[in-house]
Each structure stands twice: as C-alpha cells, then as structure tokens.
Amino acid sequence: MNGPNLSVEIAGVTLDNPIVAASGTFGFGIEYSDYVDLNKVGAISVKGLTLEPRKGNPPSRIVETPSGILNSVGLQNPGIDHFINHDLPMLKQYRTKVIANINGKTIHEYCQMALKLQNTEVDFIELNISCPNVSQGGVSFGTDPDMVYRVTKAVKCCCQQPLIVKLTPNVRDIKEVAHAAEEAGADAISLINTLVGMAIDINTRKPVLANVTGGLSGPAIKPVALYMVWQVAQTVNIPIIGMGGIMTGEDAVEFILAGATAVAVGTANLVSPTAMLDVLEELIKYMENHDIDDIHQLIGGLVL
Amino acid sequence: MKKRIISPIIQNIKIAHGTYKMTLFAPYIASNVTPGQFVHIKIPRDSSLLLRRPISVNGVDKNNGTIDLVYRVVGKGTSLLSKLKPNELDLDLLGPLGNGYKVEENIKSLWLVGGGCGVAPLKLAAQKWSNLDITAFLGFKNKSEAYQIDDFKNLCSQVFISTDDGSLGEKGFITHILIKHISELRPKLILGCGPISMLKILKQISERYDVPCQISLEERMGCGMGGCFVCSCAIGIKDSWDYKKVCTDGPVFDSREVIFDEWP
C-alpha cells in the first residue's frame, strides 16, 4: 500500500481516515449504502438520539438560504433502544466507527442514555448540547460554561466509551465553553453545530420554517466555524472534530491546518450522497501534490 | 436500485405559462422508473443553490432512453433550469427515488386526479397503465397554464378538464367534477397528485365513497435518501401517527393514512 497515511486516533480509537459524517445529515448510514461504501468513511455520527422515540417538529423543516440551509428537524428519531437493537447491528457490519449522538432534556436523561450504551458496539458517545431546534435541553446546556461542565462531568462518570462534546457557536466565548468541557473530562470536542437563523416568506409574511427559527449550516458558516475551531485548538489539549460548511477536500485541509484532528461533513451529504468520499479523495490529492505522507503533518499546521 | 446519473439535456421547452418540459437522456431511469417516483436534480452553474430539486417523472421513452420532467418555475433554481439549452451541459441527478403508485393486477379501471403541477406524474401513470380503462380529471388555474391535455386524451378513455376561471373546460375545482361522477361510476382506484387543498378534498371524497385512493405528497426536501429527516409528513391514524419521510416512505401514500391536520 502506498499513498499517504490518513489514519488518526481519537481517545485511543483509530479512524481509518479523518472524514466523519456529521450527525443529522447521514441518517444511520445504511440509508446511503446504495451510493457509498460505508467502509471508506472514518466514522459516522448517527442521527441525534433521545431516550424515547421523538416525532420532531412539524413541516416545513428546511429552507435553502444563500450558500446555506436552515433546518429545524427537532430531533426526530426512533429512540435509543431502537437504535441499539436495530440500526447499530446493521452499521457495525462496516469498518466505519460509530458515534452515538445523544440528546437529553435533563442531565439525568443524558446519563440514562450513556448507561444504555454501555456494553454496546458504539465506539464514541457524542454529547449534543448544542441543538438549537428543541424547546427543552439542547442548546440551553451548551451556552453556559458551568452547565457544560456539569453535564459533561455527569455523563463522563457513567459512560464507557470515549466522550465527544459537541459545541454550539451561539455563545459569547467558545474558548470558555471548550475549556469547561475539557476540565470536566471530555475526550474530544466537536464543533460547530448550526448557527440560529430564520427566513421569512414575504408573500405570506410567515416564517418559512414551522418552528420559526432553525439552524444554519453549509458554506455560509464555514469562515465562522474555521475561526472557532482555531480558537478552541489553541485552548484545549484534546482532539477536535472540526465541521461547518466543508464541501471539498480543500475545505477539510483548512480545518485540519486550524487544528482539527478529524473533520465532519454535514450539509454536503444533502447535496451529494458521495460527498464524504469526494472530500476524502480531494484530501488525498492535496497531500500527494504537497508531498505530505502523513495527515499528522497537517494537523494544526497553520503558519502565522 | 437508485443511482447517480449524469444526464445530457435533449430538449427544454415551455409548454404552458410558467411551466417547462425537459427531456433528458437517462436510459437507466427510463427503464426502471415507476409512476410517482422522482429524480433529485442538482442545480448547475450556481453553487450557492445547495439543495437538489425533486421533480417527478412525467413520461419515458424506453427505446430512446429518455425521460420527460415537467416543472414550474417557482424560484431561482427552477428559473435557472428553465434557461438551460439542449446539449449545453449534463445534469447531475439521483434516481429513481421514492415509492410510486401501485396498481394491483386485478384493477381494470383507474381514475387519475391531478391539479396544476400535479398533473405531470399522472401522465406517466396513464402511459404505463394505458391498457386499463382510465378516466382523467385534470384541473388548472386557467387555460394558459394547462398542458398535455392531448396526451391524456390519447391515453385515457375519458378526460375531464376544469379551470378556476372557466377559460378551459368546466369552471371550478376538479374535485367538484369528480364528485358529480363518482356516485354512479364508482372507480376501483384513484391516483391523485396536486396542491394540498385538492388532496384534502380528494381524501374526503375517497373515504365518503369508499374508493381506495393513493396520493403523492410534496414537501421541502433535503437529501432524498431518508437521511436528513426534513421532508416530513404526518402518517397514521388520528391520535396515533408519526412523521414519515416524503422522500423514502412516500411520496405516494394511501390517502386514508395521511393526517392533513398536522400540516401548518
């Protein structure tokens, strides 16, 4: 085998390559198997899970905005038990690492889910304290550093797998929040979740989304995401999964140079089912063109 | 199996006010599509328009390997599509996606009920099941927005037309004409597609006269693969329903299962 080394390690777990599916943009992976060899994806963060099955918000749940999309799904999912019994076994037939993205209304609920995931084949738990589209829990846990510390600490005490904490950009100082998560024992940090936004239909004078507001993602938020990843990389010593508008291999390189160990592809999955494989191929091409034989030569390689 | 296809544009013409028909070379889709299924089109040229546009298949020519798509210009994406010229570029599309209409072998007569844009997928149904006794009920806003009526006349035993202003066919909603005929003729199956307001009435009619009815739903869509959970519709029975995915659970559903009260 030649070609550059792409494998990265996050909290003792090795990913074949640094490309991760962002939660909520790639279902449970299996939906895409007609188009994508799931063995070739570094890791898949599955659709956000809750303790009980959840209906989600009424439609419309999506609207296109300039170079972005706003969504307000509201965590529709079949519940964590269904995931463990039905979706996880199917996904574990592939080499890709599985990240269970969990969402609670209370700290207790987050802990209950972490307990349910003990002794399962899940490789990582991702603590989603950054969903902007639910009325209870979600982003309300992620905006206050003290709260971030409390929920991270509580889940860390009862989870078996490495814990990734997913941060929201809708905060005054992302460094404070990242620091709180690291202090509480987070094994890795993923960022950014979506930025809160809205769109109005000027003919009906109504919001386009039934939930009124939604989370903005896509190339429109990439510069913001990149800046936040760079800030956090200077603050914490744990690995970072960077995301926010990554559409190409070049975008991925930017996040890695800013300090991300792995990168998640989200909105691009809605544009093209093969987006992650395309990003991976372009990343390899970049490395070959620049005589880089190991991805670690790029991580945090920003020159100031 | 669904595939990603790079499809040359053969023809792209205006067929009614604000309505266009695009013919694409896509032999795989032409051979495998079921009426009611759709293709998911990447808008070329403007990368700021991220989302694909789901458009149902209007007709196929298996010998030439082509498919027809009929679409209305409603925004930037469809406006851009309408300006594309034959052989100018190839479109990136995914398909065939979704579950189409299902017509059991014992069905001998079929009613098609379409409104506006929703007439488009029913033409493929008329084409596929042209050996059956088909009656079509087609509603448009006015004469200038009507299209493909001669095609339906060639494929169906009977065609009823209505327009909101009476400029073509009878004046009024197409469901009013449908109701005039349903009590005496009692069709075995209705296939419907059109605006929500029409589908709501169609559901009521099918339940009142106990005629099975399949309707095709439309909702703002993301991936088209069932992965992003955005194109939701309420399916089930009152007090026991779930949001299903228009893209992979639908777009065609049994009208009895569709809970329109949950639409805003």
Side-chain angles (χ1 to χ4, degrees):
Chain A
M1 290 286 282
N2 35 31
N5 172 47
L6 291 159
S7 70
V8 292
E9 195 185 288
I10 294 175
V13 180
T14 303
L15 277 57
D16 285 351
N17 64 62
I19 309 299
V20 177
S23 177
T25 64
F26 204 63
F28 294 97
I30 305 297
E31 296 90 334
Y32 287 77
S33 55
D34 272 358
Y35 288 95
V36 180
D37 178 359
L38 299 174
N39 294 306
K40 292 185 176 161
V41 180
I44 294 173
S45 181
V46 300
K47 173 71 199 164
L49 301 165
T50 51
L51 199 53
E52 302 294 334
R54 202 179 146 96
K55 277 194 165 79
N57 292 329
S60 293
R61 294 175 172 184
I62 192 169
V63 55
E64 188 177 70
T65 59
S67 295
I69 55 172
L70 274 170
N71 89 82
S72 63
V73 173
L75 292 174
Q76 179 179 349
N77 79 96
I80 194 159
D81 291 332
H82 186 274
F83 165 71
I84 291 169
N85 298 323
H86 177 78
D87 304 293
L88 183 59
M90 286 201 282
L91 199 44
K92 282 314 276 187
Q93 293 169 13
Y94 300 92
R95 276 185 65 83
T96 186
K97 296 292 183 282
V98 177
I99 304 173
N101 179 287
I102 61 169
N103 300 264
K105 290 196 284 284
T106 60
I107 290 179
H108 184 222
E109 277 194 7
Y110 279 107
C111 292
Q112 283 175 284
M113 281 186 274
L115 287 173
K116 279 177 183 281
L117 291 168
Q118 283 191 357
N119 304 318
T120 65
E121 289 187 287
V122 162
D123 297 289
F124 296 94
I125 292 178
E126 184 172 48
L127 197 63
N128 187 348
I129 49 170
S130 44
C131 177
N133 296 324
V134 290
S135 56
Q136 283 179 293
V139 76
S140 63
F141 281 105
T143 47
D144 172 13
D146 291 338
M147 203 61 180
V148 171
Y149 183 89
R150 277 180 59 198
V151 63
T152 305
K153 186 96 185 164
V155 175
K156 184 62 194 169
C157 287
C158 56
C159 78
Q160 211 174 41
Q161 293 88 349
L163 183 64
I164 305 166
V165 178
K166 185 167 183 179
L167 303 184
T168 173
N170 303 295
V171 291
R172 189 172 50 100
D173 184 354
I174 194 81
K175 299 193 294 295
E176 264 179 29
V177 184
H179 183 68
E182 185 182 34
E183 284 288 296
D187 296 293
I189 281 175
S190 56
L191 80 163
I192 60 174
N193 205 321
T194 54
L195 285 150
V196 178
M198 70 185 291
I200 297 171
D201 181 333
I202 56 169
N203 295 314
T204 61
R205 301 189 179 193
K206 290 181 175 176
V208 180
L209 299 173
N211 189 48
V212 183
T213 61
L216 180 64
S217 63
I221 70 165
K222 199 193 91 180
V224 177
L226 193 61
Y227 173 54
M228 290 191 163
V229 166
W230 180 61
Q231 281 183 299
V232 171
Q234 291 169 301
T235 308
V236 301
N237 293 309
I238 48 180
I240 294 168
I241 302 173
M243 73 190 89
I246 295 176
M247 309 296 281
T248 65
E250 288 78 13
D251 295 336
V253 171
E254 281 192 77
F255 278 82
I256 295 168
L257 288 173
T261 298
V263 289
V265 174
T267 299
N269 293 321
L270 275 63
V271 180
S272 165
T274 59
M276 285 187 287
L277 303 186
D278 301 340
V279 168
L280 179 62
E281 205 172 290
E282 290 159 8
L283 172 62
I284 294 170
K285 204 171 288 167
Y286 170 88
M287 291 172 72
E288 286 171 350
N289 290 343
H290 291 79
D291 290 324
I292 295 160
D293 50 25
D294 192 316
I295 189 83
H296 292 87
Q297 294 165 15
L298 283 179
I299 299 171
L302 177 70
V303 179
L304 286 173
Chain B
M1 187 174 149
K2 42 199 180 204
K3 286 189 177 179
R4 179 181 196 169
I5 287 158
I6 304 301
S7 228
I9 300 167
I10 307 294
Q11 192 187 51
N12 192 21
I13 51 168
K14 191 172 180 177
I15 56 169
H17 179 73
T19 306
Y20 291 76
K21 183 176 87 167
M22 184 183 281
T23 304
L24 295 166
F25 182 68
Y28 179 77
I29 309 259
S31 310
N32 290 286
V33 69
T34 302
Q37 285 188 303
F38 64 94
V39 292
H40 215 20
I41 300 181
K42 174 103 185 72
I43 301 296
R45 295 236 164 96
D46 186 346
S47 65
S48 77
L49 303 174
L50 292 177
L51 293 176
R52 287 172 183 265
R53 272 44 174 184
I55 300 179
S56 65
V57 178
N58 166 250
V60 298
D61 180 342
K62 286 185 193 174
N63 294 331
N64 289 314
T66 62
I67 59 170
D68 294 336
L69 309 175
V70 166
Y71 59 98
R72 249 185 99 77
V73 172
V74 289
K76 282 183 191 164
T78 42
S79 169
L80 214 153
L81 279 185
S82 72
K83 294 187 176 77
L84 299 175
K85 296 191 172 56
N87 302 315
E88 192 180 0
L89 50 75
D90 301 339
L91 285 183
D92 169 349
L93 49 99
L94 309 174
L97 301 185
N99 297 305
Y101 296 103
K102 288 183 187 71
V103 177
E104 306 280 330
E105 291 218 344
N106 59 342
I107 300 279
K108 299 281 179 278
S109 67
L110 197 58
W111 280 21
L112 307 178
V113 184
C117 257
V119 166
L122 298 178
K123 210 208 86 189
L124 184 61
Q127 190 185 353
K128 169 154 185 182
W129 291 299
S130 58
N131 57 324
L132 307 184
D133 177 23
I134 301 180
T135 307
F137 297 82
L138 312 176
F140 300 96
K141 203 164 166 188
N142 53 51
K143 189 180 177 184
S144 71
E145 293 194 5
Y147 57 88
Q148 295 184 332
I149 288 167
D150 288 338
D151 295 328
F152 277 94
K153 284 183 175 162
N154 288 334
L155 294 163
C156 305
S157 325
Q158 219 174 352
V159 178
F160 295 97
I161 307 289
S162 78
T163 48
D164 296 359
D165 62 359
S167 53
L168 184 72
E170 285 190 52
K171 185 178 175 177
F173 290 146
I174 196 65
T175 42
H176 292 169
I177 301 178
L178 177 82
I179 213 161
K180 279 190 220 163
H181 297 276
I182 199 165
S183 51
E184 39 175 322
L185 295 173
R186 287 294 164 108
K188 291 282 179 288
L189 179 63
I190 297 173
L191 308 182
C193 188
I196 291 266
S197 53
M198 186 200 98
L199 297 179
K200 275 184 186 171
I201 299 169
L202 194 55
K203 174 185 164 81
Q204 288 167 3
I205 294 172
S206 86
E207 284 168 15
R208 188 183 316 153
Y209 292 95
D210 196 25
V211 178
C213 175
Q214 298 169 19
I215 54 178
S216 180
L217 301 180
E218 197 172 37
E219 186 49 62
R220 286 172 183 270
M221 196 173 280
C223 65
M225 307 282 119
C228 72
F229 293 70
V230 300
C231 56
S232 54
C233 57
I235 300 294
I237 50 169
K238 206 174 164 52
D239 302 326
S240 172
W241 57 269
D242 265 313
Y243 283 126
K244 297 280 187 188
K245 300 162 188 171
V246 171
C247 65
T248 50
D249 296 317
V252 174
F253 291 94
D254 182 330
S255 67
R256 280 167 296 196
E257 297 178 335
V258 181
I259 317 274
F260 285 113
D261 300 347
E262 298 302 325
W263 256 269

